[in-house]
Amino acid sequence: MPTYDYTCQQCSHNFEASQKITAEPLVTCPACSQDTLRRGPGGGSSLMIRGKDFYYTDYGPGKHTSSKQEGGCCPCGKDQSSCNS
């Protein structure tokens, strides 16, 4: 389910809510009970990987290893020892 950011136009309360794409946007603020919520773009349901040892190909096709590890893959997708770039 996607996560949406909500901001109250009355009291400026911010929060996130997980909702189905087909669900109607929330309208009532849980902090001040006014019907002044505005839904903005959220983080969605995408996978976020944080940390120094992750590389963009770690979870892609072929599940390459981190480029910082011994024998890891280079950005072209080949093993570092066989890459000409």
Side-chain angles (χ1 to χ4, degrees):
M1 261 192 288
T3 302
Y4 296 98
D5 293 328
Y6 281 91
T7 302
C8 179
Q9 300 299 302
Q10 180 70 30
C11 70
S12 300
H13 177 69
N14 294 310
F15 67 98
E16 293 180 345
S18 294
Q19 296 179 283
K20 290 184 177 182
I21 293 174
T22 57
E24 291 292 321
L26 301 175
V27 292
T28 305
C29 176
C32 70
S33 301
Q34 298 294 315
D35 291 339
T36 55
L37 281 182
R38 173 173 257 169
R39 183 169 80 176
S45 60
S46 63
L47 176 66
M48 292 183 103
I49 301 172
R50 297 179 186 209
K52 63 181 178 115
D53 293 328
F54 289 103
Y55 192 67
Y56 76 96
T57 57
D58 282 351
Y59 293 95
K63 295 185 174 102
H64 301 293
T65 60
S66 173
S67 64
K68 294 184 179 192
Q69 295 174 354
E70 185 80 293
C73 292
C74 110
C76 72
K78 297 179 183 176
D79 187 88
Q80 287 178 341
S81 62
S82 65
C83 182
N84 296 327
S85 56

